[in-house]
Amino acid sequence: MKKKVIGVYAPANAAHIWFEEKYLFAKKQLEDMGFEIVEGNLVKDKRYQGYRTASAKERAEEMMELIKNKDIDIMMPVIGGYNSGSLLPSFDFDEIGKSQKKFFGYSDITAIQLAILKKTNLKPIYGGSLIPTFGEYEGISPFLKNTLDNLFFKENYTLEEPEFYSNKLLNAFTDEWKNKKREYIKNEGWKILNEGETEAEVIIANIDTLVSLLATEYVPNFKGKILILEEMNATIDSEERNLNTLKLSGVFEGIKGLIFGKPEVYDDRNSDLEYIDIIKEVLGKRDYPIIYNFDCGHTIPSLIISQDSLLSLKANHKTGIKVEILKNSYINS
């Protein structure tokens, strides 16, 4: 069987240069899993402009060059960061759609994923950036392996909570990421804000990145969907602003369900408010099921979900929470 080929590009931060050893480690882990890696020209040539590799146009050209390579099956960013949205005006969406490639990524890569959802028939995959997902020095966890097996091979499956999770950053500018064991926390489990049952296609997005795209031509219609929202750095004052912006923009109207992921970092700004408190305050009363503390986003390990998959959400205080993929768009598109 032909090896699956991953095209690696840097649409945002230049983490493959900042954390070169971790980048090479992650790349080797994917190769050991049986993938072949093809680097984009900016990654391969180690182009560098501090917070990014090159101009937005050059970063878009790197991505489009990989997309035109017919040997490449999967597109994967080295990491997220900031400013992937800057690439969107330079994309050839007809070419992207024709490529039928699988686009992985999360966080700032939300910008690329939502634009592809809006402009093509492709279904990107939320999760799976090279360095943060495959650069764990402990290796590929059983949870990640199971998540990938479900994604790649199963048409329907139940999404499971990890028993433990970590939101403790390990410094990759030093050797800490290799020398210090990651600290894990007992998972409190997914929690219910609003009971109910629903079934719909799912869209996953990073809150901060979604807000930066509002009122542009690159945002798909959320009506009739289940929406999963996640955040890396949830400082409560900025979260109130972001959530209120989504509310005023109508994002929470007409959806069929809402799921909030665990933030990697939470700062209550001396308010004594929990993350869920500001969610409740901004959302008010809703007639669809809402759960939170979900494991999709920046905490480790994290679920990887193909956008527009048909998802079932059941939330009941007596019987608990059940989240299922009824039709996996990774193998049905």
Side-chain angles (χ1 to χ4, degrees):
M1 182 183 289
K2 175 184 174 289
K3 279 187 177 182
K4 291 288 186 184
V5 181
I6 299 176
V8 174
Y9 64 109
N13 287 357
H16 57 295
I17 295 172
W18 301 344
F19 321 133
E20 184 177 20
E21 190 178 6
K22 190 171 185 179
Y23 166 71
L24 293 173
F25 179 85
K27 183 180 164 189
K28 178 69 163 51
Q29 288 222 98
L30 282 168
E31 289 169 339
D32 289 346
M33 290 170 68
F35 295 99
E36 181 182 336
I37 306 297
V38 174
E39 294 178 322
N41 65 298
L42 298 178
V43 173
K44 185 168 53 182
D45 296 343
K46 297 184 180 179
R47 293 276 300 280
Y48 186 54
Q49 290 183 341
Y51 72 100
R52 64 184 191 177
T53 50
S55 69
K57 186 172 184 296
E58 289 168 310
R59 283 178 283 147
E61 287 170 352
E62 177 190 45
M63 184 173 156
M64 289 306 307
E65 187 177 305
L66 291 171
I67 286 167
K68 291 173 184 176
N69 183 336
K70 290 182 168 50
D71 293 330
I72 291 172
D73 306 290
I74 292 169
M75 294 288 296
M76 186 176 290
V78 295
I79 204 166
Y82 294 91
N83 301 308
S84 291
S86 302
L87 280 61
L88 304 184
S90 298
F91 283 165
D92 182 338
F93 286 100
D94 288 338
E95 192 73 43
I96 291 171
K98 283 190 299 183
S99 77
Q100 293 299 301
K101 291 183 178 10
K102 304 293 188 181
F103 290 82
F104 282 72
Y106 68 106
S107 193
D108 186 61
I109 311 303
T110 289
I112 294 171
Q113 294 211 352
L114 293 186
I116 289 174
L117 269 177
K118 177 69 180 290
K119 301 281 190 178
T120 78
N121 65 345
L122 302 185
K123 311 299 180 187
I125 298 89
Y126 201 86
S129 290
L130 192 140
I131 293 174
T133 306
F134 299 99
E136 286 294 298
Y137 200 63
E138 298 170 356
I140 304 301
S141 70
F143 186 90
L144 177 56
K145 185 180 184 306
N146 183 63
T147 295
L148 292 171
D149 285 345
N150 285 338
L151 177 74
F152 291 151
F153 304 118
K154 293 186 180 179
E155 180 165 345
N156 50 76
Y157 54 93
T158 300
L159 296 176
E160 304 285 356
E161 305 170 7
E163 186 178 358
F164 297 92
Y165 77 95
S166 177
N167 64 350
K168 305 298 182 186
L169 297 172
L170 292 178
N171 191 349
F173 286 103
T174 69
D175 285 342
E176 184 182 65
W177 70 278
K178 294 188 299 181
N179 297 337
K180 185 175 179 181
K181 193 169 177 61
R182 180 174 283 283
E183 183 181 333
Y184 285 90
I185 304 163
K186 177 72 174 172
N187 198 349
E188 294 179 351
W190 304 340
K191 297 179 180 295
I192 299 170
L193 175 58
N194 209 27
E195 288 185 301
E197 295 186 10
T198 192
E199 184 180 303
E201 291 174 337
V202 65
I203 294 180
I204 310 108
N206 172 263
I207 294 171
D208 209 33
T209 310
L210 173 56
V211 167
S212 75
L213 287 181
L214 291 175
T216 72
E217 62 183 279
Y218 303 108
V219 180
N221 189 348
F222 298 114
K223 284 185 169 46
K225 306 280 188 177
I226 294 172
L227 185 57
I228 299 177
L229 294 175
E230 64 87 18
E231 192 73 294
M232 182 184 79
N233 186 1
T235 303
I236 196 164
D237 49 358
S238 62
E239 284 309 287
E240 179 180 347
R241 180 180 61 187
N242 281 343
L243 291 171
N244 191 55
T245 300
L246 295 178
K247 177 182 176 180
L248 294 175
S249 301
V251 168
F252 299 130
E253 306 301 323
I255 60 174
K256 295 186 73 173
L258 186 56
I259 298 173
F260 285 94
K262 293 180 175 76
E264 185 175 38
V265 179
Y266 175 66
D267 183 351
D268 70 3
R269 304 282 284 178
N270 299 315
S271 67
D272 292 326
L273 293 170
E274 299 293 332
Y275 186 43
I276 189 58
D277 293 329
I278 204 67
I279 290 172
K280 288 179 184 176
E281 181 181 310
V282 173
L283 282 176
K285 188 171 177 55
R286 299 284 160 171
D287 61 1
Y288 44 75
I290 304 172
I291 68 169
Y292 63 100
N293 217 36
F294 193 67
D295 295 275
C296 180
H298 285 77
T299 52
I300 293 173
S302 201
L303 293 162
I304 298 174
I305 301 171
S306 189
Q307 301 273 20
D308 263 356
S309 290
L310 184 62
L311 187 141
S312 168
L313 169 59
K314 297 176 182 177
N316 184 285
H317 287 301
K318 289 182 180 178
T319 57
I321 295 169
K322 189 169 186 180
V323 186
E324 295 176 278
I325 298 293
L326 303 180
K327 187 175 182 182
N328 176 10
S329 69
Y330 187 91
I331 58 176
N332 284 284
S333 61

